[in-house]
Structure formats: structure tokens, C-alpha cells
Amino acid sequence: MNEQPKQFKWVGTRTIRPDGVDKVTGRAMYGADLTLPGMLEGKVVRSPHAHAKIISIDTSKAAAMDGVKAVVTAADMPLADPTPVASGEAMINLRDLSDNVIAREKVLYEGQTVAAVAATSADIAERAAALIEVEYEVLPHVIDVLEAMKDDAPVLHDYMFTGGIKPKPEKASNVANRVEFSLGDIEAGFAAADVVIEKNFTTEPVHQGYIEPHAVVADMGPDGKVDVFCSSQGHFMVRAFVAGLLKIDMSKIKVTAAEIGGGFGGKTTVYLEPLAVMLSRKAGRPVRMVMSRDEVFRASGPTSGAALTIKMGATKDGRITAGDATLYFQAGAWPGSPVGPAAMTAFAPYDLENVKVVGFDVVSNRQKVVAYRAPGAPISEYGVESIMDELASELGIDPLEFRAMNGAKEGTQAAYGVKFGTIGMQETIAAAQATEHYKIPLGPNQGRGVATGFWFNIGGESCAGIRINEDGSVSLTEGSPDIGGSRASMAIMAAETLGIDVNKVKPSVVDTDATGYAFVTGGSRVTFATGMAVVDASKAAIDEMRARAAMIWDVDVDGVVWEDGHAKPASTNVGDFEPMSLAELAKVANKTGGPISGHADINAKGAGPGFGTHICDVEVDPDTGFVTVLRYTAIQDVGRAIHPSYVEGQLQGGAAQGIGWALNEEYIYDADGKLENPGFLDYRVPVASDLPMIDAILVEVPNPTHPFGVRGVGEVPIIPPLAAVNNAVAAATGVRFNALPLSPPAILAGLADKE
Amino acid sequence: MAKHHVTTTINGEEAEYLCEPQETLLDVLRDEVGLTGTKEGCSSGDCGACSVMLDGRLVCSCLVLGVEAQGKTVETIEGMADGEELHPLQQKFLEEAALQCGFCTPGVLIAAKALLDTNNNPTETEVRYWLAGNLCRCTGYDKIVRAVMDTAADMRGA
Ligand code: FES
Ligand code: FES
């Protein structure tokens, strides 16, 4: 564990999180925990077909039922403009979003919403929903990404022509888009190689698996004002989407962020919120909607499954000469898979001269994908890191050494465009080589795998306000829903900047009326960008307090400095004044100009790229094919850990999700395109007994653009596990697998082929 | 449908509620009694977010009917602290950052307390298997398991 650098009092310490007591006592209010007087319960009618035309919807029986107060269909939703708007880390078309919220002409996947009901109880709403009669004309469907690309595949959207290729195709297709990133000359690169390896890989769609289902309470008054309380990764995102879809002015919509029970990218869009507002408008009463777990799996977005072809070449002395990747990503029913970031990140951990990545965004009759932690990167880097392992063993070079030899450094030109500044890729590899873990001897049927991972991290819009209260305590407001302890970091950064006790700062994530716009909690941006806003707001408050002290002392403001929570004369030349503490200045604020505050509304730039290296030991049972993870170490350059425990938690949680992706998790469809495993029993996320302790090692290469050196940390940790597990299984069994998940039947089949 | 009148003890206090025959104890606690600390993650017994103690036994309240609590005692997360005094597990979870989003936390705490009440010296494996019914998607379980073991060690020392 890193000692916290001496120059900081709070940064790097493990304070108790400000929202902690509420969360261990059951007081914290999550999305489904709010009850309003007169509140109705809403339920949704969902498509039983993977692909069908809606012929008619008859709601009359449901509407006539006792206790039913409102029924809505797409007819109650204005036709949205097909303009792309920012959604989390991707762009989304409002027309598509509208269709995903409630289907208009066709249903494109099993589970898509076709109608919704609000009634005086959940039970009545459910029974009413069952009375809604929908007539469908069932159409042929397609699930698999490669199938969907075939010429004779059922076409989901007759208006969709593949973008990114010239000339524009004449025939509509399921391929929404083609992207390409390249650098140098791969032909020449492969010609210079002594060893070339090319392989195909596949991964299945996996769900974010947040334990809290989507939930919302909406209340629309007769004056058209709307209150929304919901669990999301961005209440400003919810406001924008509700406003955009229902054509209501943003100023009329107030969204309050409930405590959020996990998101991992999956709560960067809306599903229930517009429906609840529509139902509330019709019923004139507040409406609560909560998804069941079945609905979460069936109707909220997993991330893409994919098919990949990866080819890499290297010289005998271990220099990689070229990398070539082709990526086919399932987008779900509408365009927007994370194939772009997958293509950009694929080879980014390495300093390569010749790179080409081509990606295809492909629609099929599945749930629309939505962001999942480092969207796309785990998939493409899984293929690349698996080949890296095979190359290293072909060349007889230690796999960490091989990565160090080719790893990105300051000044490396990445194929996706940027030249890296200060980064910690090499430092994470060196730290991995230095671990005890890497030296522990392995037994029979055991194997060790390593892998690295890269993610951009983002900045973006954030606002913060600091109010110095009359008693010297500090109220801190901001607008980034706190998904994993960010309020603790905000309080630390404010206390450090202001020079006061961290317990004097109370951070709050306030509603959309009470603070300026914040982009979603995503892209590993909150501690970086919102943190920057908090520091700027604190500095603005400090400047105001220096001015107040200058006024009291009757000196120029430049003669006053802020040190250790006090205004002090800058030098003896200024005069001999007793330093004034923040609390003393607060007490006399009414005599020096009124309340003291500081605000910052920023668009943060300069997020530091993140790199991680993971080591995984497994044991494979040759009789059952079951893979046990014996040891796991996650190492990452975190820039600077503001609250080390929550940073470690990100590494551990991300690793666990990646392990689940590698070993157990997948969406399984039947021949009719219906999801067969929409529950935690059959979609098995890792449980406590599946995992060992996960050692988290924090490497700190400070990000020069952040006042404390913060880099985003949340996403990188889910990237390396897929290949680290795959490489460990290869080492344990002598078989190289190229399809996830590595479930027992898949392992047994691989072992049988070997014999 | 006629509602049933149920008399029970919740967190040490006598409680009465009316409930539909098909309503689960989880729904009753959350919607009729107003104790929303107990969470719903699946309503099929697979996630443990709804864990409560029923007559001293750890149960998923989504798998128990509200009417079944008649004459029994129910303990929920709201009753775990003694006034302002947190239970040692609650305190340790805060100190060791054993929660991120906190949604699984009430269920995990109830389950962990049930373990420590019967075994004050569990091995890591025992803790992991005991908590295998409580899904946490955020933490990777590392800090949860450590917090439970460290609490046990403190309680033995005290
Ligand atoms: S809600 Fe009861 S086990 Fe998940
Ligand atoms: S802390 Fe989020 S599910 Fe456990």
C-alpha cells in the first residue's frame, strides 16, 4: 500500500464516507424507496417476440378495470426527431431511444415495451397489463452478429445503409457503420515479422448486473411541472431525455438523483422515466415504476457480444512489427455498439508502428446495448492480449517482459490519434514483475496468466458550489450521482484545498434545479472532472475570504495569502496581523459583504489515460472443466488516489466483473430469439465463494492536468481480466481457447479436442 | 380480496399490518410498514438483498409471505444499530470501505451478523460460503470478507 505523500493532510487518507451511516443503517433512499401520497404503481407490457410488426393494441379492457388510472402507448409519445445526442460515452438517436422506451410500429427484440399501465396497486397494474391485447405479425429474426451481416439476413431497419463506406450502398443492411483506425503500413510490418499469429475470437453479451433494478417516481402537476426521482448515472441526462422525448422545457423538469445501487454504464440512459411521466400526466397522480430482475435482463442493455479477428507479428528479439484487427460488434436493435472505442483501444497499450483496426456496428434482434465499464475495450483487448501471450510463449520471452519491451510510454503515438503524455503503463508492468504473486510456484492443473488494459478516461462538464456557513462549516454541492464513494473524495479535495477538517465539509449531490449541468457519472470522470470543479470552487471561496481579510486589515488583497485554513499577511511588509481562520471570517461575513461562497462551472480537459496490469492464477479441474481462480492481483496507475480504499474497491470490483465475463456470464437465446436466462440463477455473476481475495496495487504516476494528479480509475480494471483468465487457463491446460465464457462444458470440449 | 391482519414483532417492537395473501414479507416491510432498508434485487431468492431474520433464522424476505410473520419476530437492518451506537459490523464496514453503492449492504450485514452470532471465528472460506447468497456487483467481495473477519476478531478480543 502506498504511503500518502507528506504534503497532503487529507488526500490519500481513508476517511469515513459522508453517506456511509445512511447506507449501513438502511436509511439511504434508493430509486424504489420513495412513496408519495396518492402514488400509483406502473407496470409495462412487453413484446413476446424477437421481431414483429405491431398490427393493433387494444387497451380498453385494461382501462376499464377497477383501480386502473392510466394506460399509455406510443400514441401518447410525440414523434421524436432522429437527431443524435450525447448519451453517456456514445451518441444516441432520439427516435431510436423513443422506440426503445415504447415501440411504435415494430418490436425489435423480446422484452421491448409496447404499453404501460398505472394503477392503485402493483398487483392491479400487473393484472391490467395482462389484459392489454396486442396483435403482432411475427417477422423472421436474427440474433448472431455474423448471421446478421449475411446478405439474406432479415433486415431490421429498411432505412439503414452502412455508413463509413463509399460509395453509399444501394441496399439496406444490418451493418450500421464501419470504422477504421490505422497507422504506418501493416503489410510491411508483417513482412518484417519472424512470427505471425492470427486468430478468431468470440465473446457473448454480458449484463452490467447492478443489484438495484431500474426505478423511478414521477409526478407531473396540472401546471406542466415535472418532478422525477430516480436511480441513474446522471440526473441531467434523465432531464435531457425526458425533455427531448416528451417535448417539455428542461426548466419545467426537476430530477432528483436517488442513491444509486450500481450502474456500471447501464444507467446512462432512460427506460422507465419517460413512461412514468406519461402515466403521471394522464393520471394526475405520482407514479412509481420499478423493474423486476427479469425485466432488467430482458429490457435493459447489456454490452455487445462480438466476433473478432486479430493478427499480430513480431521479430525474434521480441519487437512487435504489426497489429491488425477486425471487430464485429452486436449493437442490439439500434445502432450504437461500442465498436468505436473498442477499435481505438485495441492496440493502445503498445508502442506500435504499424496498426490497422476495422470495426463494424451491427444491429440484430437483441436488447439495445448500453455502456458497460470501458465500453468495448475489454472485448478488443481480450483478443489482442490473448495473442500477446501466445507470441510471448512462441518467442520464449516472459509475458510481462514482452509487454514491457513493447509497452506505450510518454511520447508514444497511438493509432487512434493521440500522442501519450505522462502515463504509467511501464510502471504497472514493473510493479507486476515485483509482486510476490508473480513468483509463487504453481501446482498441477494450475496456470498463471497476465494481461494489460488501457482506457482513455474522460473529463467533461461539471459544476460545484462551496458555501461557507456562518459557523465555519462548509456545504458542498455538485451534480454527479455518487456510485461508489465519490462524495468522500469531493469532501477530501475541498478540505485539502480549504485547509480545514474534512468533517467540516458536507458534500451533497443536489437536484437539477440546485446546481449547474453535470455530464453523466461515467467515463471514469467524476473524481477527475467534478473533483476539479470542487477544487476550483474552493479556490474561488478562498479568494473571497482573502478579500474579506484584506478589507478587515485594510490592505491590498495581494497582501493576503491563504495557508492552512487561515488568511495571513503575505509578508511582514503587509503588516502585523493575527491570521484569521475560515471560521472567524465566516462569523463576521455579514459585516464584510455578506455570505461567502465559491462556484465553478467547468468543462474539464486533460483526463489522464489509465493503464493496468493484472495477474491471475487458476486451477482447472480436468474432470469437470470447472475453473477456480486461486489468486488475483490488479495493478493500476491511478494518478493519485484521493481515497485509497475506494480506489482499491474499483480495482477489485472491476476485476470481479471481468472474471465473471471470462468464466460464467452470457446471454443465451432460444430458437425464437427469446432470452433463456433472465435471472441471477441462470445468469450467474460471481458470488463470494467463487473468488479469492483480490490484491489491489495502486501505482501513482500523477496526472499533470489535475490539481492533485487524479486519473480516472473505474473502467480500466474490467479490461485485463478477460485475457488474464484466458491466458491462465491456457497455461493450466495447454489449450488456447478463443471463445468466452470459459464455462465448464467449453473447457471440457477443448480438453477433449486436445486428446 | 380480503386483507389479512397480522400481528408480529419487528425490531423488538410489536407491529400490526394488513396484507394481501400473496404479498411477500419483503413487500410488506417496504410498502406497508415503511421499512425500505430491506432491498429487492430479484424477488426470486437469488441475490440476498432482502435478507432479514425471522424468528432468529436468516431468510430471503422475498420468499416469505407477509402472513407467515404472524406471531413471529422479524429483524431488519433498521434494528441493527442500538440507537446511535452502530453494530460493530456496521462500523467496520464503514472503516474498511466494504461498500460502494451500498445496495447489497443491508442484506450482507444481516447475513454477516447471523454468521457471527453463531460462529465468532469463521475462516475466510466459511465467510465466503455463508455470504454466497448475497450478491455484490461492486466490491468483488474482498473488503466485505475482510470486514466480517476483522469484526469477528475484534469481537473475540473484546
Ligand atoms: S430480492 Fe430476495 S433474494 Fe433477491
Ligand atoms: S456495494 Fe454495490 S452491490 Fe454491493
Side-chain angles (χ1 to χ4, degrees), chain A residues 211, chain B residues 100-102 104 136-139:
Chain A
I211 308 299
Chain B
Q100 282 175 32
C101 78
C104 68
C136 174
R137 191 61 158 171
C138 298
T139 63

Side-chain angles (χ1 to χ4, degrees), chain A residues 23-250:
Chain A
K23 287 185 174 155
V24 297
T25 56
R27 290 165 47 93
M29 294 278 285
Y30 292 82
D33 295 343
L34 180 69
T35 303
L36 294 178
M39 188 177 79
L40 306 172
E41 302 282 350
K43 292 283 173 192
V44 165
V45 181
R46 298 187 180 279
S47 164
H49 304 296
H51 196 189
K53 211 179 265 171
I54 299 172
I55 307 295
S56 65
I57 304 177
D58 182 354
T59 60
S60 55
K61 280 188 201 143
M65 206 174 138
D66 251 4
V68 171
K69 301 296 174 186
V71 183
V72 295
T73 64
D76 297 281
M77 170 101 92
L79 191 64
D81 310 320
T83 29
V85 291
S87 162
E89 288 154 85
M91 297 296 281
I92 191 167
N93 172 318
L94 270 186
R95 177 79 58 85
D96 296 347
L97 179 66
S98 156
D99 277 345
N100 198 28
V101 168
I102 193 159
R104 201 170 283 276
E105 286 156 12
K106 284 215 293 185
V107 289
L108 294 162
Y109 63 91
E110 184 226 4
Q112 190 178 345
T113 299
V114 291
V117 188
T120 48
S121 78
D123 185 49
I124 295 174
E126 210 149 277
R127 285 188 281 129
L131 291 179
I132 293 180
E133 289 162 9
V134 187
E135 194 188 333
Y136 296 98
E137 177 192 329
V138 177
L139 302 169
H141 70 278
V142 60
I143 295 286
D144 179 71
V145 61
L146 296 178
E147 293 289 321
M149 291 179 76
K150 288 189 177 154
D151 260 354
D152 57 351
V155 170
L156 272 69
H157 308 287
D158 56 13
Y159 55 83
M160 202 168 83
F161 299 87
T162 309
I165 52 173
K166 281 184 191 139
K168 184 185 166 195
E170 282 169 11
K171 202 171 155 240
S173 106
N174 292 324
V175 183
N177 214 3
R178 178 189 185 277
V179 294
E180 178 176 335
F181 296 93
S182 61
L183 183 74
D185 175 356
I186 56 163
E187 304 294 325
F190 284 119
D194 297 309
V195 188
V196 175
I197 296 177
E198 178 173 349
K199 284 250 166 103
N200 296 326
F201 297 91
T202 59
T203 70
E204 297 303 322
V206 294
H207 197 273
Q208 298 80 357
Y210 31 81
I211 308 299
E212 179 200 29
H214 298 265
V216 57
V217 177
D219 189 10
M220 185 162 185
D223 55 0
K225 287 208 293 281
V226 181
D227 276 336
V228 179
F229 174 89
C230 67
S231 167
S232 84
Q233 283 173 255
H235 44 324
F236 286 93
M237 172 276 299
V238 172
R239 185 180 73 166
F241 284 164
V242 169
L245 291 175
L246 301 181
K247 302 198 195 285
I248 302 172
D249 285 349
M250 284 189 192

Side-chain angles (χ1 to χ4, degrees), chain B residues 69-137:
Chain B
Q70 171 64 40
K72 299 205 166 110
T73 63
V74 181
E75 289 160 70
T76 72
I77 188 66
E78 286 89 348
M80 193 158 166
D82 185 3
E84 293 213 329
E85 181 94 13
L86 295 180
H87 185 275
L89 273 166
Q90 293 173 308
Q91 186 60 33
K92 195 62 87 184
F93 268 54
L94 292 180
E95 286 165 9
E96 299 192 358
L99 56 145
Q100 282 175 32
C101 78
F103 195 78
C104 68
T105 308
V108 169
L109 284 168
I110 290 286
K113 180 172 177 292
L115 171 65
L116 297 192
D117 284 349
T118 54
N119 176 359
N120 72 356
N121 194 10
T123 63
E124 181 191 331
T125 306
E126 284 172 328
V127 174
R128 286 189 180 277
Y129 276 89
W130 185 274
L131 293 179
N134 292 86
L135 298 183
C136 174
R137 191 61 158 171

Side-chain angles (χ1 to χ4, degrees), chain B residues 2-3 5-6 20 24 32 44 46 63 83 86 88 92 99 104 106 108 117 120 141 144 149 157:
Chain B
K3 291 198 175 191
H5 177 243
V6 176
E20 308 268 357
T24 64
E32 314 294 341
S44 55
D46 297 316
L63 298 183
L86 295 180
K92 195 62 87 184
L99 56 145
C104 68
V108 169
D117 284 349
N120 72 356
Y141 305 103
I144 291 176
M149 297 188 65

Side-chain angles (χ1 to χ4, degrees), chain B residues 8-81:
Chain B
T8 174
T9 307
I10 302 177
N11 297 328
E13 281 176 30
E14 189 154 313
E16 285 178 88
Y17 53 79
L18 293 175
C19 76
E20 308 268 357
Q22 80 283 4
E23 253 184 302
T24 64
L25 177 59
L26 173 61
D27 289 339
V28 164
L29 286 170
R30 292 180 53 82
D31 297 336
E32 314 294 341
V33 187
L35 294 177
T36 57
T38 305
K39 301 300 180 201
E40 175 174 333
C42 69
S43 72
S44 55
D46 297 316
C47 77
C50 65
S51 300
V52 301
M53 300 301 284
L54 185 65
D55 266 359
R57 248 186 70 218
L58 179 63
V59 297
C60 292
S61 60
C62 71
L63 298 183
V64 176
L65 290 173
V67 291
E68 290 181 82
Q70 171 64 40
K72 299 205 166 110
T73 63
V74 181
E75 289 160 70
T76 72
I77 188 66
E78 286 89 348
M80 193 158 166

Side-chain angles (χ1 to χ4, degrees), chain A residues 219-293:
Chain A
D219 189 10
M220 185 162 185
D223 55 0
K225 287 208 293 281
V226 181
D227 276 336
V228 179
F229 174 89
C230 67
S231 167
S232 84
Q233 283 173 255
H235 44 324
F236 286 93
M237 172 276 299
V238 172
R239 185 180 73 166
F241 284 164
V242 169
L245 291 175
L246 301 181
K247 302 198 195 285
I248 302 172
D249 285 349
M250 284 189 192
S251 62
K252 290 209 167 125
I253 304 171
K254 178 176 96 178
V255 186
T256 304
E259 294 296 341
I260 169 171
F264 316 106
K267 291 178 183 168
T268 56
T269 188
V270 292
Y271 299 101
L272 299 175
E273 293 84 352
L275 297 176
V277 174
M278 285 157 70
L279 287 168
S280 173
R281 173 164 59 192
K282 264 203 169 170
R285 286 165 68 166
V287 174
R288 174 164 66 188
M289 299 183 83
V290 182
M291 278 196 198
S292 67
R293 179 56 50 182

